[in-house]
Amino acid sequence: MFDIVLCQRDYKEIKELECDLFQVLEFEDDGQLKDLVNEGNKVLFITYKSSVRPDLFNIYDLPKNGNCEYYYLSKLNLNGEELENNEKFFPEVMDITLCSEYYAASGVFYVDAVDPVGMPHFEKAVMPIVKSYHKKQAYRPAVFLDRDGVLNVDHSYVHKVDDLELKEGAYEFLLNEFNIERLKIVLTNQSGVSKGMFEYEDVVHFNNALNDSLQNLIDAFYIAPFEFLKGVGQYKFHSLCRKPHPGMLLEACYDFPIKLSDSYMVGDKMSDDLDFPLVETIHLRGKYELDSDVTIADNFSEVINFATALPKKTK
């Protein structure tokens, strides 16, 4: 949560959002920032360091205490020169050349304290970015869905349309009154592509057939074909889009105005617990072992019961 958005850039665009959650001010000088923070304000400071647009309303909901610089998913910025000039990292991986994408420094800072002596220390934090700024009213909740074992029966590395078998109750679940107005977005790891078992195009073809069988209720599919340890060729990379990393979630937030604090994820594996605040995962019991401390549903009716009881994550 922040009180003020302080803009070196995008001031007019953000001001036109006419939001009552925070003030929007145009940057004047460093003294202005220090004064605002010393007055007790929490400031989101958008600098010229990059050109990406922060997802203001989801950042507003992120739990935060302490200065940080936000980083974003690199594949969402096509400005190669800008990416090259800004700091980058991938959690627990030192060699960025082994990564299909990475987190890049945005020059968007959360500031709630000023060091009276020197430059304050800024931790790293991850934020979603957007193609264009949206008014708060445009944001919708979503239900994020794993594919195999949730929407279709998991026959292990399923990729042939002839093997497509809908999970019992999946269609009705999507049409449930709790979900009907939600964006319905599939986030699927497909390591079979990286292992050479089938092609990326096979995944797309299967997804299209699956959506046809669900009366086109799915708004978007996001696919993570990379896997480093057992991958081969062009897909042998570490990837932030491979769950539990949140890359596919960040891609969805770039494409759609999603209210993450009102959204939830349904999966059947521990890897479906996304490494990102605001979105909680409900696990549908299936063929994979699940930890005892996660929320487990035996059927879609129980998923709905758990989902309706989830607290909103707004901070």
Side-chain angles (χ1 to χ4, degrees):
M1 182 181 292
F2 45 85
D3 307 299
I4 294 171
V5 178
L6 185 62
C7 304
Q8 277 190 336
R9 59 178 173 86
D10 299 351
Y11 169 74
K12 183 178 179 181
E13 289 179 85
I14 297 173
K15 189 71 173 177
E16 289 175 350
L17 298 178
E18 299 177 334
C19 178
D20 59 359
L21 294 176
F22 46 78
Q23 288 182 269
V24 182
L25 300 177
E26 195 163 14
F27 178 74
E28 297 171 3
D29 54 38
D30 291 343
Q32 176 197 26
L33 173 59
K34 290 181 180 180
D35 288 344
L36 289 171
V37 175
N38 285 331
E39 289 166 5
N41 295 295
K42 299 176 181 179
V43 178
L44 190 73
F45 183 29
I46 303 175
T47 74
Y48 285 124
K49 187 175 179 180
S50 80
S51 60
V52 298
R53 296 178 175 90
D55 187 347
L56 295 172
F57 296 109
N58 281 316
I59 297 172
Y60 183 87
D61 288 342
L62 286 173
K64 199 74 208 74
N65 184 25
N67 295 342
C68 74
E69 180 176 6
Y70 285 108
Y71 286 63
Y72 63 93
L73 187 66
S74 62
K75 69 182 293 185
L76 300 178
N77 185 358
L78 299 181
N79 187 331
E81 182 178 354
E82 187 171 279
L83 285 170
E84 186 60 33
N85 290 336
N86 288 333
E87 185 184 355
K88 50 187 74 74
F89 81 97
F90 191 113
E92 300 179 0
V93 178
M94 297 299 294
D95 188 352
I96 293 296
T97 65
L98 300 177
C99 304
S100 60
E101 64 281 312
Y102 49 83
Y103 290 128
S106 68
V108 176
F109 298 87
Y110 175 91
V111 187
D112 66 4
V114 174
D115 190 319
V117 178
M119 287 293 294
H121 175 70
F122 290 93
E123 300 289 342
K124 292 183 175 71
V126 175
M127 71 171 183
I129 63 174
V130 293
K131 287 181 183 176
S132 58
Y133 293 112
H134 305 279
K135 291 193 174 185
K136 183 174 66 170
Q137 299 91 316
Y139 278 69
R140 294 171 57 189
V143 53
F144 297 102
L145 304 144
D146 182 36
R147 194 191 77 176
D148 304 334
V150 174
L151 294 177
N152 57 275
V153 175
D154 187 353
H155 295 300
S156 187
Y157 295 104
V158 59
H159 62 282
K160 296 179 181 178
V161 173
D162 289 345
D163 294 330
L164 171 56
E165 180 183 355
L166 282 185
K167 189 87 170 179
E168 182 179 353
Y171 177 72
E172 293 77 10
F173 169 74
L174 297 177
L175 288 176
N176 183 278
E177 62 179 356
F178 187 68
N179 291 326
I180 191 64
E181 298 298 327
R182 294 174 180 271
L183 291 164
K184 300 164 185 68
I185 297 176
V186 173
L187 313 178
T188 178
N189 288 349
Q190 291 295 325
S191 64
V193 176
S194 68
K195 296 171 184 175
M197 301 173 67
F198 46 87
E199 301 296 325
Y200 187 92
E201 291 73 17
D202 295 324
V203 180
V204 174
H205 186 49
F206 187 93
N207 289 348
N208 291 337
L210 173 60
N211 208 12
D212 285 345
S213 68
L214 292 169
Q215 303 299 309
N216 294 303
L217 290 174
I218 304 301
D219 293 288
F221 289 84
Y222 294 89
I223 304 165
F226 297 96
E227 213 264 352
F228 183 72
L229 291 178
K230 297 181 181 179
V232 296
Q234 63 178 317
Y235 296 107
K236 185 178 176 61
F237 286 99
H238 297 286
S239 175
L240 291 170
C241 291
R242 181 169 172 79
K243 296 175 293 184
H245 292 300
M248 289 187 285
L249 178 80
L250 298 174
E251 287 184 283
C253 288
Y254 185 75
D255 292 334
F256 299 94
I258 300 172
K259 179 70 170 172
L260 289 180
S261 62
D262 291 344
S263 302
Y264 68 104
M265 171 85 189
V266 183
D268 67 333
K269 309 178 190 69
M270 289 308 303
S271 60
D272 293 317
D273 270 331
L274 299 176
D275 185 18
F276 196 78
L278 303 180
V279 177
E280 188 157 339
T281 298
I282 299 169
H283 296 81
L284 187 62
R285 193 188 304 276
K287 62 189 288 187
Y288 297 98
E289 185 175 346
L290 298 168
D291 293 349
S292 60
D293 60 346
V294 301
T295 302
I296 303 173
D298 288 317
N299 51 55
F300 283 111
S301 293
E302 288 191 6
V303 171
I304 291 293
N305 290 339
F306 283 126
T308 54
L310 287 174
K312 295 185 185 297
K313 303 298 189 304
T314 304
K315 297 297 180 183

